[in-house]
Every structure is written in C-alpha cells, then in structure tokens.
Amino acid sequence: MPSDKNIELAISEGHASAPPKAAKKILDVAYDLFYRRGIRAIGVDEIVKRAGVTKPSLYRSFPSKDELAASYLRQYDLEFWQRFDEAVDAHPGDPRAQIRAFLTRVGKRTQMPQYRGCGMTNAAVEYPERGHPARVVSEDNKRELRRRLRVMAAAMGAPDADTLGDGLLLLIEGAYISGQLFGLGGPAQSVAVNADLLIEASLKK
C-alpha cells in the first residue's frame, strides 16, 4: 500500500489540491483494486465508495481516472525499485548475486495466493495504445529494468551483455505471467535458479 512518505511522489505534480488524507485514501483503495482486479474493471464510483470520499475529492487530486491509474503505477514503480535496490545493496559489487537475490524474492511472491503478477505488465496489456498515461509509466519502468539488466550483465563480463540482459528480462516477464497461471508450485518459483543457469551458460561463451 502507498506510504505517507511516498504519496506526494505518486500523485501527479500540481494535482494534490484535495486534503492529503483524502488523496491517500483514494490511492490506497485504487492501488488495491487496480492490482487485484485490473484497472479497466474498476470504476470511480466503486473507488470513492470504498474510500469513503466524494467524487469531487477524487477529481481534485486526480483530474481523471487515467491519471489515477498513472499515479497507482508511479507508486508501484517506487516500490518496485525499492525492492530491486535492496537486492543490489545486499550484495555490493556482485551483480550475479544481486540478480539472484532479487529473483529469489520474485519467485517467493509468485507463490502467494493473492499474487497477480506485475502491475506494470498487467497495465501494458490493458492499455495497448501508445501514449496512454498508464502505458507511459509501464513502458518507462520496463525500459529502465532492461537497461539495468544489460549493465549488470556487462559487469559480470558476459561476452554478449545485451543478449544476456534481455534473456533475464524475458525470464522475469515469464515469471510474472506464469505465476498467475500456475500459482502455488508453478514454474515461476524457480526463476532465480533458471536465471543463474542462463548467466552461467552466457559467461562460458
């Protein structure tokens, strides 16, 4: 759930005119509903009802549902990179261990009953049109992840770092989807092991 510390970062700049408590309630509720059931499936009426606020309060903070969806994804992005950076910081100077640590946590999350994959991936599927606010946030997140994985692959000394980085990204995206399909006991639980095998094979080339 969005934290008080991050709420202002997640809300689009210049649109936080509603009382902060109301904005946080709205984003908390939207975050939960959008992730569990999908953005398009949720209407603003349900959000304001569950948040216990009025529509004017919602539209003072978020001028449209599209902007609310983008704010949800900005918050998701903040939390994603916090988890990623925690794995990196735990293994300074060792990109292979950093990736293993990050993906071990991904694999564990895919085994949770409420797991619904990656909110960014789900939003990109829901909004195929380029330029949609939710799509833009999702694309930015994926591009940055691809860039970081390629940099980490190069730091490992991979002869073809770009290909290894892209392969790791494909494994990650596969875990997000298969985690939803198979649930407990599914192949996503072994994403870290498979990533390590891919790295080992790539480094031997």
Side-chain angles (χ1 to χ4, degrees):
M1 286 295 164
S3 66
D4 290 327
K5 182 179 180 180
N6 290 335
I7 185 70
E8 291 183 2
L9 293 174
I11 298 173
S12 179
E13 292 184 5
H15 298 305
S17 57
K21 287 186 178 180
K24 187 180 187 308
K25 281 184 181 180
I26 293 163
L27 190 55
D28 281 348
V29 169
Y31 189 109
D32 176 63
L33 292 174
F34 287 165
Y35 180 74
R36 287 191 298 107
R37 291 165 50 189
I39 299 171
R40 289 189 184 275
I42 303 299
V44 293
D45 287 339
E46 182 171 2
I47 292 169
V48 297
K49 181 179 180 181
R50 291 193 179 224
V53 300
T54 63
K55 274 189 180 181
S57 292
L58 185 151
Y59 288 119
R60 280 197 296 271
S61 284
F62 311 95
S64 66
K65 182 188 170 184
D66 287 347
E67 182 53 41
L68 176 57
S71 293
Y72 146 64
L73 291 169
R74 291 187 196 104
Q75 177 64 36
Y76 194 99
D77 181 72
L78 287 170
E79 295 171 0
F80 176 88
W81 292 119
Q82 286 171 356
R83 293 192 297 270
F84 192 93
D85 290 340
E86 284 172 4
V88 170
D89 293 342
H91 302 277
D94 190 346
R96 185 169 180 175
Q98 292 167 352
I99 290 173
R100 188 188 306 118
F102 175 69
L103 293 184
T104 296
R105 292 177 65 178
V106 170
K108 288 180 180 178
R109 284 199 304 278
T110 67
Q111 303 303 290
M112 299 171 67
Q114 70 272 29
Y115 185 71
R116 274 273 292 130
C118 173
M120 297 290 185
T121 301
N122 295 343
V125 172
E126 283 197 83
Y127 294 97
E129 57 271 26
R130 303 288 180 180
H132 186 281
R135 176 86 184 198
V136 170
V137 179
S138 300
E139 287 181 351
D140 287 347
N141 173 274
K142 299 302 180 180
R143 288 195 183 98
E144 176 60 12
L145 178 58
R146 185 187 188 195
R147 185 193 70 78
R148 291 199 193 190
L149 291 172
R150 286 180 161 198
V151 169
M152 295 168 84
M156 288 181 230
D160 189 349
D162 287 352
T163 297
L164 173 56
D166 286 353
L168 291 169
L169 181 59
L170 290 170
L171 275 175
I172 293 169
E173 291 298 324
Y176 292 151
I177 299 300
S178 64
Q180 298 187 64
L181 290 172
F182 292 93
L184 187 63
Q189 65 183 328
S190 63
V191 62
V193 174
N194 281 286
D196 210 47
L197 291 172
L198 177 61
I199 291 169
E200 183 67 23
S202 298
L203 294 180
K204 287 181 177 178
K205 288 183 179 180

